[in-house]
Amino acid sequence: MSKPVDNAVSTVRTYIQNHRTAFLDDLAEWLRIPSVSAQPDHAADVARSADWLAAKLRETGFPTTEVWPTAGAPAVFAEWPSEDPEAPTVLVYGHHDVQPAAREDGWDTEPFEPVIRGNRLYARGAADDKGQVFFHTLGVRAHLAATGRTAPAVHLKLLIEGEEESGSPHFRDLVEAKAQRLAADAVIVSDTGMWSEDTPTVCTGMRGLAECEIELYGPDQDIHSGSFGGAVPNPATVAARLVAALHDEHARVAVPGFYEGITALTDQERELFAELPFDEERWLRTAKSTATHGEAGHTTLERIWARPTAEVNGIGGGYQGPGSKTIIPSSAMVKLSFRLVAGQDPEHIEKAVRAWAAEQVPAGIRYEITFGAATRPCLTPLDHPALQSVVRAMGRAFEQPIRFTREGGSGPAADLQEVLGAPVLFLGISVPSDGWHAPNEKVELDLLMKGVETTAHLWGDLAESWREAH
Amino acid sequence: MSKPVDNAVSTVRTYIQNHRTAFLDDLAEWLRIPSVSAQPDHAADVARSADWLAAKLRETGFPTTEVWPTAGAPAVFAEWPSEDPEAPTVLVYGHHDVQPAAREDGWDTEPFEPVIRGNRLYARGAADDKGQVFFHTLGVRAHLAATGRTAPAVHLKLLIEGEEESGSPHFRDLVEAKAQRLAADAVIVSDTGMWSEDTPTVCTGMRGLAECEIELYGPDQDIHSGSFGGAVPNPATVAARLVAALHDEHARVAVPGFYEGITALTDQERELFAELPFDEERWLRTAKSTATHGEAGHTTLERIWARPTAEVNGIGGGYQGPGSKTIIPSSAMVKLSFRLVAGQDPEHIEKAVRAWAAEQVPAGIRYEITFGAATRPCLTPLDHPALQSVVRAMGRAFEQPIRFTREGGSGPAADLQEVLGAPVLFLGISVPSDGWHAPNEKVELDLLMKGVETTAHLWGDLAESWREAH
């Protein structure tokens, strides 16, 4: 290792250490804003979150910060041009909205009252995604401090959307409308995770997502299960039979046409997955589960990273209160989501699911099926030079070899790739135990600071490798 | 028709007409008490309902009225001995508790604010069962007025329980403990219905009921369906698969052993059913449904009266709010009920369902199955002399031929039959459109008054036929 590298690492670390307290205070202030995009009564909070972030980015030094309205929740755009007009342009993507959360869901503390316990910061959004957006603010300042620059080595843009947890329904429109302002040579997505605290990794792909809700209507009102039971169709039974019919006996998705177009995993990809230090017992602990279950013929990592799924996220119908109520309920509903992999197209999946549902619902039951916004799957080529820059920057921060993973979750990265024609790279420091979408979501403070450190090194490395290539 | 009958009918009618307003005012007062036995926060209301009824029966003339506590909700007992020590003893059974009801379930008016619109009285309990209990009060007074008696022609007892809508969990114990006080030569159950407004009928049997709730537990908390989806079992999927596995492709219950011991319908019974003026379109309207669906090889009447069922009354798991939440839920639950017919034994059904559930639930899902109190099925012999008395009394009130039906619902009548060794007869005036257990429950006022009139004739007829037989 050459001296200049060591010096840079140490300068960056000192700078970060000196600004850590203020950084965490600011993040906590942001986390207190309950920017839940899925719940209409939080619309004002999502708007407040955007304004807060725009102001903070201005304070950080971005000369341009704008709140971009959409037909839904607003996004935040910021831009900080390099002094070198030949420098590459990098667009950072993240989101400032969060999943719903309520104390009674099982949180030990208020989800929107951030609290540090041990070396962890607990709050809804701590890891998904406010913490991982926020490390870019201190990161770019550390980059400037360590290099003596007054502007980043790359033309730096940020696009932080406000509807990711609602399936980014207006993101594609926004990106298309603002394509010129967003134009970039590479996209850095900071909305993913690493393998574990001990094994830093770079993610190379995300699954896509299609979601639908099916409402089923039987009798015009709840009717007596003694007087009528056994002679009319029960919408809760039909809801259950729909969910049961989603999978065959091998836990494969049984919707006809669902697997059409998928590129099968190569032997090399399966080997790469198999080489990771996967400990099923440990993984099950992070999954809060006691047994694995999934598509026959695939390992757990293949199932969560490279195979599509059908999952019921919610089901409801009839009497759910205390005691019993002997009724045939008048309605029932299911909320389904489908994770998609490279080769699958949300429009095709919607068509397939609609056709399948039409086959399943019997006479006497009326149904309505509604699809939300979909997210395409995406994959980054392993040999892309910008990916190598990310690996080097992480290596300096973590002082460990960086390995490769994929992400089972979904993000609108594929829209950016498609509309902007730029490769998508992933830089995330969250770990599976962070509890995304769950009670007691947290971020590991050590990893959060490694995220800051990585971005402090990344912009210089990217600018240099770009110069070499052009 | 002989003169004396006409006179009696006319005297009874005049008496009832003169007391109709006060009778309906009293009933409305009782209906205002929300005696919902399934909801613990209504326990005080159920107790208040019992006290109210006991006081009203005392006012009616019953020399003995008692509120009988149970381990759950209290029952009301009343006794009015005949002046003839040789007279038979008749026990009337009904219940003073009601199903849960809330305005937002779809009621046009407050469920516990009785209102008369047209010739109908709307309120929770109007038909099931307060209205049908209450016609016995004016009925016995009309009987005395028309016959010049100061006590009924039979030794009259009433047992009005407070837990019928919760599956009568303490009824059997109560009947066993009070068997001597309850001793009777016949039981009259007033908790059933008639064929229709135009076709008065006597019911000859009721289905039994076994109920259970199955709670299913997967991950210790809701987990992200992207990070973990496709690789761990989802308890909502398992709940749905349980419900789907309840029936085979012929809509027969698929729980092994479920049909064991059932006496098949005779050709004569099937013919009796087939002779009734069954209009499927009309029946579907009362069922608020648009198509029939049920066990292959059986008619709708056979399905609801003489065939056992498995029904899901409630299902729930995961996110049921607005928008979407991409989780694998941590738990799910189903509430199931099984209607039983003669030959089926609730204890055997519980055993069969437990064994079936154990087979269905996969590794990684923990479950708990809880059975509520069960109700046995029962059937009355068609040739019983007391049944003939009921038919004659109804005939005088309705001035129409009385036909025979069965009841798909369930009541603890079988316990009375078993413990007291007395035949069980059914006297009910409710019609299918009354909306038992549903929003906008009502009772037809004309039929309610026919119920009063029937009981005014019944006690004399029963006493006479008893004398002839003994």
Side-chain angles (χ1 to χ4, degrees):
Chain A
M1 217 176 269
S2 65
K3 273 271 176 219
V5 171
D6 283 339
N7 281 350
V9 166
S10 140
T11 311
V12 160
R13 280 189 189 153
T14 304
Y15 184 88
I16 292 172
Q17 191 51 43
N18 291 342
H19 294 79
R20 177 187 163 111
T21 305
F23 169 77
L24 292 178
D25 286 350
D26 285 346
L27 175 56
E29 191 176 309
W30 194 19
L31 290 168
R32 280 191 196 98
I33 304 173
S35 48
V36 180
S37 59
Q39 295 176 339
D41 53 340
H42 281 294
D45 294 316
V46 181
R48 194 150 57 91
S49 162
D51 292 341
W52 186 96
L53 177 62
K56 186 56 62 183
L57 291 171
R58 211 167 304 127
E59 196 183 310
T60 300
F62 282 82
T64 303
T65 64
E66 296 172 19
V67 173
W68 284 353
T70 72
V76 175
F77 174 74
E79 188 169 8
W80 196 341
S82 171
E83 281 162 352
D84 173 9
E86 305 297 311
T89 302
V90 176
L91 174 67
V92 171
Y93 166 84
H95 61 90
H96 68 91
D97 63 320
V98 298
Q99 279 279 312
R103 180 75 182 261
E104 59 267 28
D105 294 343
W107 287 75
D108 294 332
T109 55
E110 288 298 331
F112 297 106
E113 261 313 317
V115 62
I116 292 177
R117 286 201 306 275
N119 212 12
R120 296 166 167 183
L121 171 60
Y122 290 86
R124 172 59 85 225
D128 177 21
D129 182 34
K130 285 174 175 168
Q132 302 204 94
V133 166
F134 210 60
F135 68 58
H136 285 281
T137 60
L138 183 53
V140 69
R141 300 272 1 152
H143 161 57
L144 301 184
T147 57
R149 291 170 179 275
T150 53
V154 298
H155 298 301
L156 189 57
K157 295 177 180 180
L158 263 69
L159 177 63
I160 310 302
E161 71 151 318
E163 299 189 307
E164 199 274 342
E165 299 296 2
S166 302
S168 303
H170 308 100
F171 186 72
R172 174 88 182 205
D173 285 351
L174 182 71
V175 173
E176 284 176 354
K178 303 282 192 181
Q180 281 194 299
R181 303 279 313 272
L182 294 171
D185 300 300
V187 174
I188 302 277
V189 170
S190 283
D191 185 27
T192 55
M194 305 198 311
W195 178 260
S196 72
E197 288 86 334
D198 307 324
T199 307
T201 51
V202 170
C203 169
T204 65
M206 293 185 100
R207 291 197 287 195
L209 178 64
E211 290 177 291
C212 72
E213 179 162 346
I214 307 177
E215 290 165 295
L216 299 138
Y217 302 97
D220 278 349
Q221 57 186 38
D222 292 349
I223 57 173
H224 191 293
S225 72
S227 305
F228 302 106
V232 294
N234 178 331
T237 300
V238 176
R241 293 182 81 95
L242 268 173
V243 172
L246 273 178
H247 299 94
D248 68 14
E249 69 275 28
H250 307 295
R252 279 176 64 86
V253 178
V255 174
F258 184 77
Y259 291 98
E260 260 172 34
I262 291 181
T263 329
L265 278 166
T266 63
D267 286 347
Q268 195 204 0
E269 285 168 313
R270 299 185 78 159
E271 275 161 31
L272 246 167
F273 287 0
E275 278 167 12
L276 281 162
F278 180 72
D279 176 339
E280 188 168 282
E281 285 308 308
R282 189 179 163 181
W283 182 85
L284 278 172
R285 280 198 299 277
T286 68
K288 313 281 181 193
S289 296
T290 57
T292 60
H293 173 85
E295 192 185 350
H298 288 282
T299 66
T300 293
L301 287 185
E302 290 166 12
R303 287 169 178 169
I304 58 172
W305 287 349
R307 298 299 298 170
T309 67
E311 205 76 63
V312 54
N313 309 117
I315 186 167
Y319 186 66
Q320 300 181 47
S324 61
K325 194 171 175 189
T326 45
I327 52 165
I328 297 173
S330 122
S331 67
M333 69 88 197
V334 292
K335 290 178 191 269
L336 305 179
S337 62
F338 302 89
R339 297 284 165 178
L340 311 179
V341 300
Q344 278 180 312
D345 170 9
E347 286 76 35
H348 173 75
I349 295 300
E350 175 172 340
K351 237 179 259 174
V353 171
R354 283 184 185 278
W356 165 83
E359 284 290 313
Q360 303 289 319
V361 178
I365 300 289
R366 190 168 60 78
Y367 76 101
E368 280 168 25
I369 181 166
T370 317
F371 276 78
T375 308
R376 283 163 201 282
C378 74
L379 265 181
T380 314
L382 283 171
D383 57 358
H384 195 281
L387 180 59
Q388 297 305 318
S389 284
V390 173
V391 170
R392 275 191 302 270
M394 283 189 78
R396 291 170 87 179
F398 285 88
E399 299 178 287
Q400 271 180 273
I402 308 301
R403 318 198 64 158
F404 298 94
T405 64
R406 287 202 204 171
E407 166 61 41
S410 310
D415 284 331
L416 292 168
Q417 187 161 30
E418 210 177 323
V419 178
L420 306 179
V424 170
L425 310 154
F426 296 88
L427 171 58
I429 52 76
S430 180
V431 287
S433 62
D434 284 351
W436 289 30
H437 298 204
N440 300 317
E441 178 180 347
K442 54 89 180 165
V443 68
E444 298 284 336
L445 292 180
D446 287 347
L447 298 182
L448 188 65
M449 303 322 285
K450 294 283 182 210
V452 176
E453 211 176 319
T454 298
T455 56
H457 297 300
L458 181 57
W459 309 137
D461 193 307
L462 265 174
E464 200 167 327
S465 67
W466 180 264
R467 253 194 313 277
E468 280 165 18
H470 290 80
Chain B
M1 217 177 268
S2 64
K3 273 270 179 222
V5 171
D6 282 340
N7 281 349
V9 166
S10 140
T11 312
V12 160
R13 281 191 187 152
T14 305
Y15 184 88
I16 293 172
Q17 191 51 44
N18 291 341
H19 295 79
R20 178 188 164 108
T21 304
F23 169 77
L24 292 177
D25 286 350
D26 284 345
L27 174 56
E29 192 177 307
W30 193 21
L31 290 168
R32 281 191 196 98
I33 304 174
S35 48
V36 180
S37 60
Q39 296 176 339
D41 53 340
H42 280 295
D45 294 317
V46 181
R48 195 150 57 91
S49 163
D51 291 341
W52 186 95
L53 178 62
K56 186 57 62 181
L57 291 172
R58 211 167 306 129
E59 196 183 310
T60 300
F62 283 82
T64 302
T65 65
E66 295 172 19
V67 172
W68 284 353
T70 73
V76 174
F77 174 75
E79 188 171 6
W80 197 342
S82 172
E83 283 164 351
D84 173 8
E86 303 298 309
T89 301
V90 176
L91 174 67
V92 170
Y93 166 85
H95 61 89
H96 67 91
D97 63 321
V98 298
Q99 279 277 312
R103 178 75 182 263
E104 60 265 29
D105 294 344
W107 286 75
D108 295 332
T109 55
E110 288 298 331
F112 297 106
E113 261 313 318
V115 61
I116 291 177
R117 288 201 304 277
N119 213 11
R120 295 166 167 181
L121 170 62
Y122 289 87
R124 171 59 85 225
D128 178 20
D129 182 36
K130 285 173 175 168
Q132 302 204 94
V133 166
F134 209 60
F135 68 56
H136 285 281
T137 60
L138 183 54
V140 68
R141 300 267 9 147
H143 161 57
L144 300 184
T147 56
R149 293 173 177 273
T150 53
V154 297
H155 298 300
L156 189 57
K157 296 178 180 179
L158 263 68
L159 177 64
I160 311 302
E161 70 150 320
E163 299 188 308
E164 199 275 342
E165 299 297 2
S166 301
S168 304
H170 308 101
F171 186 71
R172 173 87 182 206
D173 284 352
L174 182 71
V175 173
E176 284 175 354
K178 303 283 191 180
Q180 280 194 299
R181 305 280 311 271
L182 295 170
D185 300 300
V187 174
I188 302 275
V189 170
S190 282
D191 185 28
T192 56
M194 306 198 311
W195 177 261
S196 72
E197 287 87 332
D198 308 323
T199 307
T201 52
V202 169
C203 169
T204 66
M206 292 185 100
R207 291 196 287 194
L209 178 64
E211 290 177 292
C212 71
E213 180 162 344
I214 307 178
E215 289 166 296
L216 298 138
Y217 302 97
D220 277 350
Q221 57 186 38
D222 292 350
I223 57 172
H224 191 292
S225 71
S227 306
F228 302 106
V232 294
N234 178 331
T237 301
V238 176
R241 293 182 81 93
L242 267 173
V243 171
L246 273 178
H247 298 94
D248 68 14
E249 70 274 28
H250 307 297
R252 280 175 63 85
V253 179
V255 174
F258 185 77
Y259 292 98
E260 261 172 34
I262 291 182
T263 329
L265 278 166
T266 63
D267 286 348
Q268 194 205 0
E269 285 168 315
R270 299 186 77 160
E271 274 161 32
L272 246 167
F273 288 179
E275 279 167 12
L276 281 160
F278 180 72
D279 175 338
E280 188 168 280
E281 284 310 308
R282 189 181 163 180
W283 182 86
L284 278 172
R285 281 198 298 279
T286 68
K288 312 281 179 192
S289 297
T290 57
T292 60
H293 173 85
E295 191 185 352
H298 288 281
T299 66
T300 293
L301 287 184
E302 289 167 12
R303 286 169 178 169
I304 58 173
W305 287 349
R307 296 300 298 172
T309 68
E311 206 76 62
V312 53
N313 309 117
I315 185 167
Y319 186 65
Q320 300 182 47
S324 61
K325 195 171 177 189
T326 45
I327 52 164
I328 298 173
S330 120
S331 67
M333 70 89 199
V334 292
K335 289 177 192 270
L336 305 179
S337 62
F338 302 89
R339 297 284 165 178
L340 311 179
V341 300
Q344 278 181 311
D345 169 8
E347 286 75 36
H348 172 75
I349 295 301
E350 175 173 340
K351 237 180 259 176
V353 171
R354 283 183 185 278
W356 166 83
E359 283 290 313
Q360 303 289 320
V361 179
I365 300 288
R366 191 168 60 78
Y367 75 101
E368 280 168 25
I369 181 166
T370 316
F371 276 79
T375 308
R376 285 163 200 282
C378 73
L379 266 182
T380 314
L382 284 170
D383 57 357
H384 196 280
L387 180 59
Q388 297 306 318
S389 284
V390 173
V391 170
R392 276 190 302 269
M394 282 189 79
R396 291 170 87 180
F398 285 87
E399 297 177 288
Q400 270 179 276
I402 308 300
R403 316 197 65 158
F404 297 94
T405 64
R406 288 202 203 170
E407 167 60 41
S410 309
D415 284 330
L416 292 168
Q417 187 161 31
E418 211 178 323
V419 178
L420 306 180
V424 169
L425 310 154
F426 297 87
L427 170 58
I429 52 76
S430 180
V431 287
S433 62
D434 284 350
W436 289 29
H437 297 205
N440 300 318
E441 179 180 346
K442 55 87 182 166
V443 69
E444 299 285 336
L445 291 180
D446 287 347
L447 298 182
L448 188 65
M449 303 322 285
K450 293 284 182 209
V452 176
E453 211 175 319
T454 299
T455 56
H457 297 301
L458 181 57
W459 309 137
D461 194 304
L462 266 174
E464 199 167 327
S465 67
W466 179 264
R467 250 193 316 276
E468 279 166 18
H470 289 81

